[in-house]
Amino acid sequence: MSAAEVTAVPEGRGGRMNRAQIVNAALALGLLGFGLVAWAMGETFLVTLATKVAILAIAGAGLNLVLGFGGLVSFGHAAYFGLGGYSAGILAHHALNYTPMFEWPFLFEGTTSMPVIWITAMVIGALAAALIGALSLRTTGVYFIMITLAFGQMIFYFAISWPAYGGEDGLPIYVRNGFPGLNTLDPVQFFGLTCAVLFAVLGLIAMLAHSRFGLALQAARQNRQRLMAVGIRPGGVLLVAFVISGAITALAGALYADLNRFVSPSMLSWHLSGELLVFLILGGTGRLFAPLAGAGLYITLEHLLGGVSDHWQFFFGLLLLGVVLFARGGVIGFLAGGKRHG
Amino acid sequence: MADPILDIRGLSKSFGALKATDDVSLDLRPGEIHALIGPNGAGKSTLIKQISGEIAPDAGEVVLRGRSLAGIDAAGRARMGMARSFQVSSVAPEFTVLQNVVLAAQGASGATFRFFRPVMRDAGLLQTARDCIAQAGLSGREAVPAAELAHGERRKLEIAMALALKPALFLLDEPMAGMGTEGATALGDLLDALRHRAPILLVEHDMDAVFRLSDRVSVLVYGRVIATGTPDEIRTDREVQRVYLGEEA
């Protein structure tokens, strides 16, 4: 679904799906089906792989809100992903080691409860995004890319040089954090939980894209001067989008830390920021399901090509080149057709 | 005489040694079309940008309905009813005509930070947008993406967006630029009707249109207003003939 379609007048509400919706449904069912079949066949590793796709898709969905809809090329989204991861890691670390996190103003011993961890991660991601966004949004274009990268690197080096939480070695989470009513150590239950989060996030983004806020956000991508001239300041709209985006990506980071039961500075590295961008370019920037399509394709290729050659990224680079040169709409643009006008 | 809607007092703006706007005063009264003409480089666009709030003047002030606009940015001025069109038409190209005008209606409503209800099912905004589209003569083109509109239609879309802002005045920067004779005439008729909705400050190069439509004309040369008057007065003004119209006469 192109950005313009997202807010298009609802037409043909007779129940027939358009091509983009069919592709989206196929992607969602494909992920669920793959995970469940792998589980039925006892392929735990593949269930974990599908879980990884779902989590990276959540992170990409956060980026898609600012990049796809707002037109902001953030090259520092690893910062929020990593902060989410460290939120999970640090809270669990204190709870599991029985070392209080702080004693004032009240005794807090950390937690292993996913809902609490998720909220903490999202609040921290949102705060970091508010701070970084408020400074970065003063710039545009390539300067915006560079300043977001710079902030990301600052947090990366901070994590490396802070020994209390593992520094360069990272921080293990001995037992995966818990969710009420679920056994999160069961791969398929954790997979189901991440899928539920993914679809909730995609639903949230679809709702935002169709709202008044979403209309202004998409206008900010196309023409900031025009947005000003109709009485809407692009800065505020973009900052709010950036904050929501940071919170979503941090949520993904918390889940990722729980998936690996480990958090390390690599979650904060610019490679990860780049991978998130690649997911969107592969999937089709600005399309709701682009992060799922992109992350799915990337992880699949990494798994398949990685088994054939250590230099799989060379072949992946060729694919990316092909997409950028010949299929600008990414996988979804290719399957669902270009922009459907009206 | 009715109080002016827009009153520009002693506006000045320099870029280095260049005085782009030099002590300009002019006003815009209810129901009129006030044209601003002048040779290329006379500072018309710089003046328009100071009125719309895109750049700040060095001295002087812009007063809208008795209220000074100092310190109010372009978005704030738009919400106060300053409806602007651009020299190079400026719309959201991927949005449809309807989406563009709904965006303008949303801006005028002042409520952008709403995250839940779908905007394209907002009956109030849609009604406003469809009315404005009809008044601008674009009915039937609602679902067309702005990028696919013909040049003249994009001009009309800008007019529709201006209408959706509940305008106190129109600030139109060369709305007829690049239009054929027929299109310019049709747009002229549209502007002629619009003046009763809100007065128009019109920057325009098409002299036929200017003299046909305007109630008053101001001539800007090297950042200064050298004459203001009715079209007839301007036509016969010696100074104007010498520096500007003379080229054609």
Side-chain angles (χ1 to χ4, degrees):
Chain A
M1 187 166 6
S2 86
E5 285 161 47
V6 167
T7 47
V9 195
E11 270 177 46
R13 269 192 275 165
R16 262 196 73 213
M17 292 164 79
N18 64 45
R19 264 171 80 186
Q21 285 168 326
I22 294 169
V23 171
N24 291 349
L27 285 166
L29 292 174
L31 175 69
L32 281 171
F34 180 86
L36 292 176
V37 168
W39 169 66
M41 291 168 64
E43 297 280 357
T44 310
F45 172 73
L46 293 180
V47 178
T48 304
L49 210 59
T51 313
K52 186 175 172 184
V53 168
I55 294 171
L56 291 175
I58 298 168
L63 180 60
N64 201 24
L65 184 65
V66 288
L67 174 63
F69 297 102
L72 296 172
V73 183
S74 166
F75 197 10
H77 257 54
Y80 317 111
F81 193 68
L83 285 172
Y86 271 96
S87 303
I90 291 172
L91 287 170
H93 171 79
H94 286 284
L96 295 172
N97 290 300
Y98 303 103
T99 48
M101 199 164 160
F102 51 79
E103 293 172 18
W104 190 90
F106 56 88
L107 179 70
F108 184 67
E109 299 183 295
T111 177
T112 59
S113 156
M114 275 190 194
V116 177
I117 286 170
W118 293 352
I119 290 167
T120 311
M122 284 193 285
V123 168
I124 287 174
L127 287 175
L131 196 69
I132 293 172
L135 295 168
S136 306
L137 282 168
R138 293 162 185 269
T139 65
T140 53
V142 76
Y143 298 101
F144 183 83
I145 301 175
M146 286 300 126
I147 197 169
T148 50
L149 172 65
F151 278 117
Q153 290 301 92
M154 277 169 57
I155 297 177
F156 172 73
Y157 284 110
F158 181 79
I160 277 191
S161 56
W162 198 16
Y165 295 116
E168 214 161 346
D169 297 331
L171 193 63
I173 302 172
Y174 302 114
V175 182
R176 187 174 286 159
N177 294 305
F179 191 90
L182 291 181
N183 173 13
T184 54
L185 285 169
D186 177 358
V188 79
Q189 291 195 31
F190 187 58
F191 170 71
L193 184 63
T194 49
C195 285
V197 173
L198 170 64
F199 297 133
V201 163
L202 293 179
L204 172 80
I205 289 175
M207 184 191 76
L208 289 177
H210 284 89
S211 71
R212 286 186 179 220
F213 170 74
L215 190 70
L217 180 62
Q218 293 170 72
R221 181 190 68 236
Q222 298 171 55
N223 190 339
R224 290 193 195 184
Q225 176 196 47
R226 172 39 83 183
L227 194 56
M228 276 296 269
V230 299
I232 301 171
R233 295 183 186 94
V237 174
L238 291 169
L239 183 59
V240 169
F242 207 74
V243 168
I244 299 171
S245 167
I248 292 171
T249 302
L251 172 62
L255 286 165
Y256 197 70
D258 258 328
L259 174 70
N260 298 323
R261 278 177 270 170
F262 180 66
V263 50
S264 78
S266 71
M267 279 182 74
L268 288 159
S269 81
W270 65 270
H271 298 96
L272 199 122
S273 299
E275 275 177 21
L276 295 180
L277 286 170
V278 164
F279 297 162
L280 297 186
I281 294 166
L282 269 184
T285 309
R287 289 178 182 255
L288 186 62
F289 276 70
L292 178 55
L297 190 59
Y298 185 89
I299 298 299
T300 306
L301 288 174
E302 182 183 46
H303 183 60
L304 294 179
L305 294 177
V308 178
S309 160
D310 283 345
H311 305 292
W312 73 275
Q313 286 188 322
F314 171 78
F315 300 101
F316 183 76
L318 289 180
L319 175 75
L320 193 60
L321 211 59
V323 168
V324 171
L325 290 176
F326 303 113
R328 294 296 278 281
V331 173
I332 297 182
F334 184 73
L335 294 175
K339 286 170 188 166
R340 182 185 55 89
H341 292 307
Chain B
M1 193 181 297
D3 284 338
I5 302 283
L6 183 73
D7 199 359
I8 294 160
R9 299 171 186 160
L11 219 53
S12 294
K13 178 77 186 177
S14 297
F15 297 107
L18 175 72
K19 280 196 163 177
T21 307
D22 188 1
D23 194 23
V24 169
S25 296
L26 52 86
D27 62 8
L28 185 63
R29 297 167 194 156
E32 77 167 345
I33 294 182
H34 188 154
L36 190 62
I37 62 172
N40 284 325
K44 301 185 296 287
S45 290
T46 307
L47 179 59
I48 289 286
K49 282 180 184 163
Q50 288 168 78
I51 299 171
S52 69
E54 284 157 83
I55 56 180
D58 297 333
E61 63 175 348
V62 180
V63 177
L64 177 65
R65 286 170 169 160
R67 194 178 152 196
S68 171
L69 296 182
I72 299 176
D73 68 357
R77 292 178 193 202
R79 279 218 284 269
M80 292 167 76
M82 199 176 268
R84 179 196 200 316
S85 80
F86 293 88
Q87 196 173 347
V88 177
S89 51
S90 179
V91 296
E94 293 170 28
F95 281 175
T96 63
V97 167
L98 186 62
Q99 285 172 319
N100 268 289
V101 185
V102 164
L103 179 72
Q106 173 184 320
S109 79
T112 282
F113 292 96
R114 293 193 183 165
F115 304 91
F116 302 106
R117 284 177 44 214
V119 61
M120 297 311 287
R121 287 186 203 160
D122 186 319
L125 292 184
L126 286 176
Q127 187 60 48
T128 308
R130 290 214 166 90
D131 286 350
C132 297
I133 289 169
Q135 287 171 50
L138 271 178
S139 288
R141 304 287 279 163
E142 285 89 346
V144 180
E148 290 177 13
L149 291 177
H151 180 78
E153 289 179 315
R154 214 170 301 167
R155 290 289 181 197
K156 288 181 180 173
L157 173 55
E158 286 206 297
I159 303 280
M161 293 175 79
L163 282 167
L165 285 174
K166 301 194 188 85
L169 66 99
F170 294 101
L171 213 54
L172 306 183
D173 197 354
E174 298 192 27
M176 291 164 190
M179 293 184 80
T181 322
E182 227 168 277
T185 309
L187 193 60
D189 293 342
L190 179 58
L191 298 187
D192 200 19
L194 283 184
R195 77 173 85 193
H196 303 295
R197 289 284 299 277
I200 301 174
L201 186 63
L202 176 69
V203 173
E204 188 49 64
H205 271 301
D206 181 340
M207 287 304 140
D208 290 340
V210 164
F211 285 112
R212 181 165 64 91
L213 295 169
S214 307
D215 299 289
R216 288 191 298 157
V217 179
S218 288
V219 183
L220 199 67
V221 177
Y222 294 124
R224 296 182 72 93
V225 175
I226 61 163
T228 296
T230 63
D232 284 339
E233 288 166 1
I234 292 299
R235 234 190 291 256
T236 54
D237 187 292
R238 276 277 172 80
E239 179 74 1
V240 175
Q241 282 184 347
R242 194 175 63 76
V243 303
Y244 185 37
L245 295 176
E247 297 163 16
E248 295 169 18

